[in-house]
Amino acid sequence: MTTTPKTAGPTLRRGEKTFEVNGGDVVYEILGKEGDFIALTPGGRYSKDIEGLRPLAKKLVDGGYRVLLWDRPNCGKSDVQFYGQSESHMRAETLHALIAGLDIGPCILAGGSGGARDSMLTTMLYPDIVRKLVVWNIVGGVYGAFALGAYYVMPTIHAARALGMAGPLRLPEWKELIEANPRNKDRILAHDSDEFLKVMLRWLNAYVSKPGQTIPGVPDEMFDEIKVPTLIIRGGENDWDHPKRTSLEISCLIKGSKLIDPPWPEDAWERASEARAQGKVKRFNMFDTWVQAAPAILKFLDK
């Protein structure tokens, strides 16, 4: 990738800072004044400001911890980046560099949905920076993995094939990231379209269901590398995106892990999805229930 000038970057709020990883700036903030650190990661390509995440962070701060909130590459105000075996591998490398660079490790990793996968993979690849692990809303199964590839990768591939690197600029998700950080336009255009498509195909392949991969793009044997105390909050009974079965399988793969029932209703994800489809909510604020996990998380961490 060609290095682009650092011009017209994001407007930072009070408390927000940047840390450079692999030529791209990561926007982060730290909540709380004392206590062990928790690196808290949301799902999808949502920023640290997605509705529902900060209330959970504040409850954890009230419980005596400091919380690192961060915009992963391709999320929020951070610079876009395109490298790695999968997008989660890129995020794991970024989180490791951020924790090491800020000298806050070993710390606790916690995350839901895509943030759960990012946190688990970071623990597998960089166990030296992790003290404990807490995950929930774990994506798995044929539908869950297929939906991620179709939503997050295929539209970008179609756009780049048809129009070169100007194509992704027309997609709403990349428009939103450029609005949050105008520098991202030049960063996208700086890529060679052929090399960019190779990365996108590699990322897409991670979402193709394969034997021996309970979560997308991660061989099951890598779970042997997770040796820290781990709390798993089970997926909902009929949640197609984060199947109950996947949570049970992960609890078997992580030796000594603790599996608990969700503190929110079994059908919370489905009801929120329906509300969005019916126009009852403006955004896909599926994480509003996460704050309900604070008591269980604090109980686990305080042991």
Side-chain angles (χ1 to χ4, degrees):
M1 173 182 148
T2 303
T3 302
T4 54
K6 288 189 175 182
T7 57
T11 300
L12 302 181
R13 297 194 314 264
R14 181 177 180 181
E16 291 183 328
K17 298 180 180 180
T18 63
F19 186 87
E20 184 175 326
V21 179
N22 286 333
D25 283 347
V26 176
V27 176
Y28 73 93
E29 62 182 302
I30 293 173
L31 305 184
K33 300 298 183 182
E34 57 185 16
D36 292 339
F37 275 94
I38 302 173
L40 183 59
T41 307
R45 284 205 184 120
Y46 295 109
S47 79
K48 61 182 176 58
D49 296 315
I50 182 65
E51 295 176 29
L53 187 67
R54 197 168 295 266
L56 172 59
K58 289 181 178 179
K59 286 291 184 181
L60 297 176
V61 169
D62 292 342
Y65 293 86
R66 285 177 285 182
V67 176
L68 169 70
L69 297 177
W70 62 302
D71 279 344
R72 296 158 291 165
N74 307 336
C75 301
K77 297 179 181 178
S78 289
D79 287 344
V80 295
Q81 300 242 39
F82 307 99
Y83 65 88
Q85 181 178 335
S86 72
E87 194 163 14
S88 282
H89 282 78
M90 178 182 70
R91 291 168 175 171
E93 183 176 332
T94 304
L95 182 56
H96 169 257
L98 183 60
I99 290 172
L102 297 178
D103 194 23
I104 62 173
C107 64
I108 299 153
L109 300 191
S113 197
R117 184 171 60 259
D118 297 345
S119 298
M120 287 187 287
L121 188 53
T122 303
T123 306
M124 296 169 185
L125 296 174
Y126 309 102
D128 57 305
I129 66 163
V130 185
R131 180 172 295 164
K132 292 184 179 181
L133 176 65
V134 183
V135 291
W136 59 92
N137 282 155
I138 304 171
V139 174
V142 173
Y143 174 83
F146 192 88
L148 288 180
Y151 188 80
Y152 286 112
V153 187
M154 285 300 294
T156 298
I157 289 176
H158 289 316
R161 287 190 68 198
L163 298 170
M165 294 313 301
L169 301 182
R170 299 189 178 193
L171 299 178
E173 64 173 316
W174 301 115
K175 283 183 177 180
E176 185 175 326
L177 293 178
I178 292 169
E179 183 178 348
N181 179 356
R183 184 167 59 234
N184 280 330
K185 179 179 180 179
D186 290 337
R187 290 182 63 86
I188 292 172
L189 290 174
H191 284 76
D192 174 81
S193 59
D194 290 337
E195 292 301 316
F196 177 80
L197 284 168
K198 288 180 182 178
V199 175
M200 290 298 99
L201 287 172
R202 191 164 65 240
W203 285 11
L204 179 64
N205 185 51
Y207 293 123
V208 177
S209 295
K210 303 175 184 68
Q213 290 191 5
T214 303
I215 61 174
V218 181
D220 284 349
E221 59 263 26
M222 289 185 66
F223 280 94
D224 290 341
E225 302 303 318
I226 299 182
K227 297 177 172 34
V228 297
T230 300
L231 175 66
I232 302 167
I233 301 176
R234 174 178 61 74
E237 188 70 38
N238 296 308
D239 188 338
W240 285 23
D241 295 283
H242 319 99
K244 176 181 178 180
R245 171 180 171 176
T246 297
S247 300
L248 298 176
E249 291 176 348
I250 297 299
S251 71
C252 294
L253 290 168
I254 302 178
K255 296 179 178 63
S257 60
K258 180 178 177 60
L259 177 74
I260 64 173
D261 292 337
W264 40 76
E266 292 280 356
D267 62 349
W269 189 263
E270 297 89 283
R271 299 292 81 78
S273 297
E274 290 173 1
R276 185 201 185 205
Q278 295 168 7
K280 296 179 180 179
V281 292
K282 293 182 180 180
R283 293 184 60 84
F284 195 54
N285 54 332
M286 313 299 287
F287 311 135
D288 288 348
T289 57
W290 284 8
V291 67
Q292 298 175 34
I297 293 174
L298 291 170
K299 180 180 179 180
F300 172 75
L301 296 180
D302 291 344
K303 283 187 177 180

